[in-house]
Amino acid sequence: LLYSNPSCKTVVFRLFAESGIGIRKCDEITAPNVAARCIPSTLNSGLSLTKYMKRMKLSFTSTVPSLIIKRGMLEVIPDIKAEVDDNDGYARISHTHESLIMTDGCGLISREALDEVYSRYTYNLEQRCILLGKFNAIRYSAASSCPFSSFQGRIGGIKGMFVVDDNLNGVKIQCRHSQLKYDVPMTKKFAIPPYENDDDDTLYNTIEIKEWDTPPPHHAYLSQNTIQLLEERGVPKEFFLSLAKKEIDELNSAREDYELLMTKYKARKYYRRDTLCLFEDDVFMRMLHARVNLNEPVMIRYINDFISDELKRYREKSKFPVIESMYLRMLPDHTGLLESHEVFVALGDESAQYNVERLGSVVAMRLPSYFTEDLRKFNSVISKEDLTQRCPERGKFFSGIVAGIVFSTRGAMSEAEMMSGGDFDGDKAWCCWNEVIVNNVQECPGQNAQSYPTVPDPFRERKLVHSNPEWTNLITNYTMHHRHDKKCLGKLVYDNFHADRSRRSVPLLTIFARFYSAGKHLK
């Protein structure tokens, strides 16, 4: 039914049992019919195999259903496009449709609709926990209003982010054209000529929540990749050595300090969700809360194991925390108030918010990033008060945002695009306002990831056939092609030879080229 290769270490196959033991004859259904039900074949007749593989994955994401959309609630609006200027250097890079979109993957939702969505979400999540026998799950009380300002989710063939806009009245949802991945009866009604079928189907009309944008409870961490980019842009290595020394000294002190040990452990547990050690972790947490003597033999073993794991993480991945940093969702400015060099940051913490606005500068990068210009520096952080003074009506949009980093939609290219080819359909960025890092990071022009040619894809123009055995042959051929890996390799090869980029692209290219050359003969 579906093949995907989300990472170099993981290959996912989705199989569907058409018939066999436990399936009655009247309940038998073929895989092509299942695919045609998930992505209506009558409304998406020109769907290629490559597009099918990308779109079909949406049906297998882990979501929680919430509000069922009724007639008149949904509105499809156009995307904000870049300001194209022939005299602008960025504009000459690429004039493709995708590179000019400034709101790629992000729509709007009214406050009343957001509250309705959250109310149904909490109820359905609690019912799911009861059905699965998770009686110790958190009980969600019926909240009168949603405490968050945005969420990642999908509505039938619509996918991406939805941000609250207090200028919208009633139960209203506005999605952008870039969010529409495939047509369903509800969205086809906005086409020209409109689709006349009035049948409503909860499979296509339900808002499914993937993730809420909650304020990050802990600071963010460095990584080997981040350290290399920061050092390349001018941050001195002494800064990183001081971070390492500080963390190691604190770990040693934590052996005799309950509060410090619990703080370190809670931060580790949030970012390292290891289900294999969940039971052991819970025992350790209960012992910490019970104030078990730190010299008790079992407690000593737990403490030694935890510190050993932390030191290993520092040594192998350089996971050093930076207090003045967070992982924030990237959002576009739907109002047009922000200038091209400005950025708005909402942290959900008054102290951190004061510090970032006092400094007035922030650096951000989307992970993973491999080139120096993927790290962006913004020297003008605007507060919500300043934006409200510019326009009280449009400024309401920023007042409602609880957590996130909002980029300008002016200029010739999206800031998310300049961060290693990102977009606004759910990507997060590492944001830092540490004075040492911000003051030492040197300016570097951004590039457009859409400008690099990709390896030709033989399945891009291959029309999908909803019948056996052609269906099986198409899926099998696509699986054997490994299109995703070749596409990534092609970008690296072109980038190394045709662009003036970071010297870090050379060893990466060498490793990938040698691996590919050796693998070509293994057929």
Side-chain angles (χ1 to χ4, degrees), residues 107-230:
L108 297 169
I109 185 171
S110 67
R111 176 69 64 179
E112 186 176 344
L114 185 68
D115 293 341
E116 289 282 347
V117 168
Y118 184 72
S119 176
R120 297 304 305 174
Y121 165 84
T122 54
Y123 174 79
N124 289 335
L125 184 60
E126 183 173 338
Q127 293 300 311
R128 175 180 293 182
C129 292
I130 295 174
L131 181 64
L132 296 177
K134 298 181 179 180
F135 299 105
N136 59 341
I138 300 175
R139 294 283 178 173
Y140 292 88
S141 59
S144 58
S145 62
C146 177
F148 314 121
S149 58
S150 56
F151 64 87
Q152 183 186 24
R154 58 186 293 259
I155 313 170
I158 300 171
K159 166 187 173 290
M161 292 294 303
F162 292 90
V163 189
V164 66
D165 186 357
D166 289 325
N167 291 310
L168 297 177
N169 299 320
V171 181
K172 181 66 68 176
I173 301 161
Q174 293 182 340
C175 76
R176 302 281 184 179
H177 285 302
S178 59
Q179 294 182 271
L180 185 58
K181 303 306 179 183
Y182 57 85
D183 278 315
V184 298
M186 177 179 60
T187 56
K188 198 66 175 178
K189 295 174 183 177
F190 297 99
I192 301 176
Y195 184 67
E196 298 298 336
N197 192 342
D198 292 332
D199 293 340
D200 290 330
D201 194 326
T202 56
L203 175 65
Y204 308 128
N205 299 0
T206 302
I207 300 179
E208 301 178 31
I209 307 298
K210 173 67 175 176
E211 183 181 9
W212 292 95
D213 279 342
T214 59
H218 300 286
H219 46 255
Y221 288 76
L222 292 175
S223 64
Q224 291 181 351
N225 175 239
T226 309
I227 291 174
Q228 287 176 315
L229 290 181
L230 289 173

Side-chain angles (χ1 to χ4, degrees), residues 108-365:
L108 297 169
I109 185 171
S110 67
R111 176 69 64 179
E112 186 176 344
L114 185 68
D115 293 341
E116 289 282 347
V117 168
Y118 184 72
S119 176
R120 297 304 305 174
Y121 165 84
T122 54
Y123 174 79
N124 289 335
L125 184 60
E126 183 173 338
Q127 293 300 311
R128 175 180 293 182
C129 292
I130 295 174
L131 181 64
L132 296 177
K134 298 181 179 180
F135 299 105
N136 59 341
I138 300 175
R139 294 283 178 173
Y140 292 88
S141 59
S144 58
S145 62
C146 177
F148 314 121
S149 58
S150 56
F151 64 87
Q152 183 186 24
R154 58 186 293 259
I155 313 170
I158 300 171
K159 166 187 173 290
M161 292 294 303
F162 292 90
V163 189
V164 66
D165 186 357
D166 289 325
N167 291 310
L168 297 177
N169 299 320
V171 181
K172 181 66 68 176
I173 301 161
Q174 293 182 340
C175 76
R176 302 281 184 179
H177 285 302
S178 59
Q179 294 182 271
L180 185 58
K181 303 306 179 183
Y182 57 85
D183 278 315
V184 298
M186 177 179 60
T187 56
K188 198 66 175 178
K189 295 174 183 177
F190 297 99
I192 301 176
Y195 184 67
E196 298 298 336
N197 192 342
D198 292 332
D199 293 340
D200 290 330
D201 194 326
T202 56
L203 175 65
Y204 308 128
N205 299 0
T206 302
I207 300 179
E208 301 178 31
I209 307 298
K210 173 67 175 176
E211 183 181 9
W212 292 95
D213 279 342
T214 59
H218 300 286
H219 46 255
Y221 288 76
L222 292 175
S223 64
Q224 291 181 351
N225 175 239
T226 309
I227 291 174
Q228 287 176 315
L229 290 181
L230 289 173
E231 189 177 2
E232 183 77 16
R233 291 283 291 271
V235 180
K237 64 180 180 181
E238 289 77 15
F239 172 76
F240 305 110
L241 293 175
S242 65
L243 283 181
K245 184 179 184 304
K246 176 177 176 292
E247 285 304 308
I248 293 175
D249 290 344
E250 285 188 357
L251 277 178
N252 288 329
S253 302
R255 295 180 181 274
E256 301 175 357
D257 189 333
Y258 276 107
E259 298 301 328
L260 182 57
L261 185 60
M262 189 173 296
T263 300
K264 292 285 184 184
Y265 181 71
K266 285 182 178 179
R268 194 288 292 264
K269 188 176 181 181
Y270 177 76
Y271 285 106
R272 181 185 170 185
R273 298 171 180 175
D274 189 353
T275 56
L276 297 179
C277 61
L278 182 61
F279 179 74
E280 296 290 333
D281 284 353
D282 287 344
V283 173
F284 187 29
M285 179 64 74
R286 288 198 294 269
M287 295 178 72
L288 287 173
H289 280 291
R291 298 278 178 166
V292 176
N293 193 317
L294 295 177
N295 294 321
E296 198 272 333
V298 177
M299 191 66 165
I300 291 176
R301 179 173 68 84
Y302 277 119
I303 295 175
N304 289 338
D305 289 345
F306 168 65
I307 293 179
S308 177
D309 288 344
E310 289 295 281
L311 292 175
K312 183 179 179 181
R313 193 163 64 111
Y314 292 159
R315 182 178 66 252
E316 296 180 353
K317 300 184 178 180
S318 303
K319 287 288 185 181
F320 298 110
V322 179
I323 304 301
E324 303 90 353
S325 68
M326 285 185 180
Y327 301 112
L328 296 175
R329 192 83 69 179
M330 297 192 297
L331 303 171
D333 174 19
H334 293 268
T335 66
L337 282 179
L338 290 174
E339 299 294 337
S340 59
H341 63 282
E342 296 176 339
V343 67
F344 173 76
V345 180
L347 302 175
D349 181 271
E350 293 184 1
S351 176
Q353 191 73 37
Y354 171 79
N355 290 333
V356 70
E357 292 178 0
R358 176 186 58 83
L359 183 62
S361 299
V362 66
V363 295
M365 63 184 294

